[in-house]
Amino acid sequence: MLNNFYDSDFTWSNAKETADVALYRSTGKYLSDIEIKLLQGSWEDKTYDDMAIIYGYSAEYLNKDVGNKLWHKLSEALEEKVTKRNFKAALRREWEKQRDSSAMEENLELQVSPSVAQLPFPESSVPPDSHFYVERNNVENLCCETIIKPGSLIRIKAPKLMGKTSLMNRIIPYAVAKNYRTVYLDLSSVQRKILTNLDQFLRWFCCMAGRQLKLENQLNDYWDGEILGSNDNCTVYFEEYLLTQIDSPVVLELDNVDKIFSYTEVTEDFFGMLRSWHEKGKISAIWKKLRLLLAHSTEVYVPLDINQSPFNAGVPVELVEFDKQQVKKLVFIHRLNWDEIQVEQLMELVGGHPFLIRLAMYEVSLRNLTLKQLLQEASTEAGIYSNHLRGYLEALQKCPKLAQAFKVVVNSPEQVELDSIQIYKLHSMGLVQRRDNHVVPRCNLYREYFQRVLV
């Protein structure tokens, strides 16, 4: 009898969309990736033990940490008690309320997506409360679970325009909600003359951290240039002043740390110091208060001792491209009436690259062009990606050997083997995907454009 109730007109797709809309209306957030997995597993009548085997999580985590929270959120969103046993019936009732398509469309326009006039141009990081922030596959949960651990270290790595800064910005409100203090420093903004002198760089580092913690500059009182080295002075300043003055944990976020990799005057000592702080956090009460979050675009080609590098410690987080489900969520947010084929056509061109995907949806949403026209013009000078592609071309033209290596990659139907430095540089630029010691173009857009211009 129960099976007859859930007849074919109410599908898993209907259930997920209904839950997404209801949760957004209630909380301002969509289902996370792990919640979608749990909801689908429950839809298929799988137990928590079954899902644990399939998804690689513990059954206790799926039950108590994910399941209980999800059923509670759905209970509030649907205004009735929702459990793993009855969620299908609850979602069906909500779906039936929304079944009138015109009413559904009006509801989405008013409550879910911003108007076309409000669409932000996708040129920088996404604010943490933005409609356009798309959660990764449990990455946010991992970062938030790690950052509350004493003395923790997180390393976020991805090519440029993949969402590293957006993820860091997402973690800051979570830390603030925990009454933590936060410091965000973008190392790409440091002046070159500061980066050629370790003492000056570490004084800048301490000064900027103190300013964000709203503490008075006391560098002259703690900096002993006659006896202590620069690293020791910086460590003393944090240990005896900054961390002592703050009662709560401090999250220190360092963005674009790869921008200083080439400054050998500071890199070895600075990164060695960060590693020592992380190690101190395992035993020292004062250093347990500090949580480190590093983001970088490239592999770490810096001559660091394996025991002195922060890049082989802590929790690594590597951002990958959006999958089809995440791209479809952006289609939904942009109010685009695309079917499965259109989503696949765009991803065939640019993969799941966050910036390239969002730029396409921005242009089509503003009705500047159709998707068909966008795809036809994409790799030409008339296309929406022309400035983006030209920037890469100018960078490659400054490095003829690298340009020649990439020319081989885009003209080969097979994956290409390059030396490690060439792979490192092309991957950090975001032009290739790595497959062991081989590479392929990151997407067909890059293949088509650079086949034409690298002559």
Side-chain angles (χ1 to χ4, degrees):
M1 295 295 293
L2 288 175
N3 289 335
N4 292 334
F5 178 75
Y6 305 114
D7 54 41
S8 59
D9 67 334
F10 183 57
T11 65
W12 154 243
S13 178
N14 299 141
K16 191 188 81 64
E17 183 176 0
T18 301
D20 243 352
V21 172
L23 284 178
Y24 193 94
R25 186 176 60 228
S26 173
T27 68
K29 295 182 179 180
Y30 299 102
L31 289 162
S32 68
D33 294 315
I34 186 62
E35 287 173 337
I36 292 173
K37 290 178 179 179
L38 186 138
L39 196 65
Q40 185 170 14
S42 301
W43 177 268
E44 296 169 354
D45 297 323
K46 290 182 172 62
T47 66
Y48 288 118
D49 288 331
D50 294 335
M51 288 185 273
I53 295 172
I54 296 170
Y55 301 135
Y57 299 97
S58 70
E60 183 178 12
Y61 170 72
L62 291 174
N63 183 353
K64 296 182 179 179
D65 291 327
V66 182
N68 285 348
K69 293 178 182 177
L70 175 60
W71 308 133
H72 177 72
K73 288 193 294 184
L74 285 173
S75 297
E76 293 189 340
L78 302 181
E79 298 182 341
E80 63 173 288
K81 180 66 173 179
V82 177
T83 67
K84 190 173 184 295
R85 290 179 179 274
N86 75 350
F87 80 96
K88 293 183 181 180
L91 288 177
R92 183 187 179 93
R93 282 189 287 273
E94 178 66 18
W95 173 69
E96 288 174 342
K97 294 178 185 177
Q98 303 172 348
R99 190 143 44 160
D100 186 303
S101 59
S102 61
M104 179 70 166
E105 182 177 352
E106 180 181 356
N107 182 50
L108 293 179
E109 289 183 355
L110 292 175
Q111 300 185 29
V112 179
S113 298
S115 68
V116 171
Q118 294 174 320
L119 287 177
F121 184 75
E123 60 181 346
S124 58
S125 60
V126 180
D129 58 348
S130 171
H131 291 279
F132 300 94
Y133 185 91
V134 176
E135 289 193 356
R136 307 297 182 118
N137 294 322
N138 207 40
V139 165
E140 289 81 5
N141 289 340
L142 174 63
C143 289
C144 290
E145 290 169 3
T146 303
I147 210 69
I148 62 175
K149 297 177 181 178
S152 56
L153 166 64
I154 302 173
R155 298 177 284 112
I156 302 172
K157 184 181 72 171
K160 66 177 186 176
L161 298 175
M162 287 291 290
K164 298 182 299 299
T165 302
S166 298
L167 175 58
M168 296 183 85
N169 291 341
R170 189 79 166 185
I171 298 170
I172 290 176
Y174 177 81
V176 171
K178 294 284 186 181
N179 293 319
Y180 292 4
R181 301 291 295 276
T182 62
V183 174
Y184 172 85
L185 299 178
D186 182 355
L187 297 191
S188 67
S189 67
V190 188
Q191 294 181 9
R192 185 179 182 280
K193 65 177 182 178
I194 293 177
L195 288 169
T196 57
N197 183 291
L198 178 64
D199 198 71
Q200 190 172 4
F201 171 67
L202 292 182
R203 288 176 70 93
W204 170 89
F205 179 66
C206 290
C207 178
M208 295 301 292
R211 288 172 69 92
Q212 292 198 27
L213 292 172
K214 309 299 182 184
L215 295 175
E216 184 179 350
N217 186 337
Q218 298 285 347
L219 281 169
N220 292 335
D221 295 334
Y222 286 88
W223 213 269
D224 188 341
E226 294 184 4
I227 300 177
L228 299 180
S230 301
N231 273 19
D232 290 332
N233 277 314
C234 184
T235 299
V236 166
Y237 195 70
F238 268 76
E239 184 174 63
E240 298 184 4
Y241 180 50
L242 297 183
L243 294 177
T244 302
Q245 292 293 315
I246 303 297
D247 294 331
S248 62
V250 175
V251 178
L252 176 57
E253 296 190 318
L254 303 180
D255 202 358
N256 294 308
V257 298
D258 50 293
K259 298 300 183 182
I260 70 172
F261 284 171
S262 60
Y263 294 92
T264 56
E265 301 91 336
V266 304
T267 50
E268 185 173 356
D269 287 308
F270 177 60
F271 291 128
M273 181 186 71
L274 294 181
R275 172 62 181 267
S276 73
W277 289 2
H278 174 58
E279 296 299 329
K280 289 174 185 286
K282 298 176 181 178
I283 56 175
S284 168
I286 191 70
W287 287 102
K288 286 180 186 292
K289 293 169 62 175
L290 183 68
R291 290 84 197 274
L292 291 169
L293 184 58
L294 312 180
H296 57 104
S297 297
T298 71
E299 295 292 347
V300 186
Y301 276 77
V302 182
L304 299 176
D305 184 286
I306 190 172
N307 297 313
Q308 296 181 332
S309 171
F311 300 106
N312 55 13
V315 176
V317 174
E318 185 161 6
L319 298 184
V320 298
E321 295 185 349
F322 289 153
D323 59 27
K324 184 185 290 187
Q325 189 63 39
Q326 291 164 328
V327 173
K328 289 169 70 174
K329 183 170 289 189
L330 282 171
V331 171
F332 177 74
I333 295 170
H334 282 79
R335 299 191 206 171
L336 294 169
N337 187 27
W338 288 0
D339 57 25
E340 193 89 6
I341 294 176
Q342 289 170 299
V343 171
E344 290 175 355
Q345 287 175 333
L346 180 59
M347 294 189 72
E348 177 68 23
L349 178 70
V350 300
H353 191 294
F355 170 74
L356 301 180
I357 288 287
R358 281 199 57 208
L359 182 59
M361 293 182 184
Y362 172 84
E363 295 291 348
V364 175
S365 295
L366 291 180
R367 308 295 188 264
N368 291 339
L369 74 172
T370 64
L371 177 62
K372 181 179 179 180
Q373 183 183 358
L374 183 154
L375 296 173
Q376 291 174 339
E377 299 176 347
S379 62
T380 72
E381 295 301 324
I384 65 169
Y385 299 117
S386 58
N387 289 337
H388 174 75
L389 295 168
R390 199 177 304 117
Y392 275 134
L393 178 60
E394 291 173 357
L396 287 171
Q397 288 173 335
K398 295 176 183 178
C399 305
K401 290 185 179 180
L402 192 62
Q404 182 61 33
F406 191 49
K407 179 181 177 181
V408 173
V409 174
V410 298
N411 284 294
S412 173
E414 307 293 335
Q415 57 188 23
V416 175
E417 183 174 8
L418 301 176
D419 68 53
S420 59
I421 297 298
Q422 290 174 328
I423 293 176
Y424 148 66
K425 291 181 177 179
L426 290 172
H427 183 263
S428 67
M429 293 173 69
L431 288 172
V432 298
Q433 296 187 50
R434 295 174 303 179
R435 296 177 182 173
D436 298 325
N437 291 327
H438 297 75
V439 295
V440 295
R442 176 161 288 278
C443 59
N444 284 329
L445 173 68
Y446 294 165
R447 184 187 293 277
E448 293 173 10
Y449 177 78
F450 288 104
Q451 278 182 337
R452 179 170 58 84
V453 300
L454 289 180
V455 295

